[in-house]
Amino acid sequence: MRRRLALGAVLLVSAGCAYRGRAFDAHAHFESDATPGRIHPRISGKPELLLAEMAESGVERSALIVVPSSTDLSAAHVLHDQAAALLRRRPGRFVAIGAVQPSDGDAGLRELERIAGLGFRGVKLSPTRIDFNVRAITGSSA
């Protein structure tokens, strides 16, 4: 069995792993024009830069993760609106992922409903960023 696996690996490497299928970037950050380069100094997260990099790399679609500059829900709300505008301008190019935290409470639930209506398909939770302990709520020790 190991010999077949090794032979398969050699064949893939020698063939150049020439994948020719569609490419999907599963993790691209979306940032406001007001804070370019906050996440990565060379890659600003601006929509036009992301689109140019996608074209250069042959990426058809990208998961666009909203990353607000603070844990304040109003900061996320503004970015959600900007990302939704991008979804309308470039249909099919992005899958939007919102930023709503467990600590946002009822306002967060309303924002989840709102962004679902705007075409968002997921939400990124960052409990460590906001010091939210899931175990404290669930009573789980694992």
Side-chain angles (χ1 to χ4, degrees):
M1 183 64 171
R2 284 186 185 176
R3 180 174 251 178
R4 273 193 236 161
L5 190 57
L7 179 60
V10 168
L11 288 173
L12 281 174
V13 170
S14 65
C17 297
Y19 176 73
R20 304 232 189 277
R22 299 175 356 183
F24 183 94
D25 179 354
H27 194 118
H29 291 144
F30 179 77
E31 295 185 68
S32 164
D33 288 340
T35 58
R38 182 177 52 82
I39 293 172
H40 191 284
R42 286 188 310 114
I43 304 169
S44 73
K46 289 183 180 180
E48 295 310 313
L49 179 59
L50 289 173
L51 286 163
E53 289 179 358
M54 288 168 64
E56 183 180 323
S57 303
V59 172
E60 182 178 313
R61 287 182 99 182
S62 183
L64 191 62
I65 301 171
V66 170
V67 183
S69 59
S70 75
T71 58
D72 180 20
L73 184 58
S74 62
H77 185 98
V78 169
L79 286 181
H80 290 151
D81 287 345
Q82 292 174 4
L86 178 60
L87 293 178
R88 290 189 300 275
R89 282 194 318 269
R90 300 294 185 134
R93 295 303 306 269
F94 296 102
V95 175
I97 309 296
V100 178
Q101 304 309 322
S103 60
D104 292 332
D106 289 341
L109 292 175
R110 287 189 297 276
E111 183 67 1
L112 279 175
E113 290 175 2
R114 189 181 83 84
I115 64 175
L118 293 174
F120 283 64
R121 296 294 173 245
V123 64
K124 178 179 174 37
L125 301 174
S126 301
T128 56
R129 182 174 176 207
I130 58 166
D131 197 26
F132 181 82
N133 186 348
V134 174
R135 290 183 188 137
I137 291 176
T138 64
S140 171
S141 61

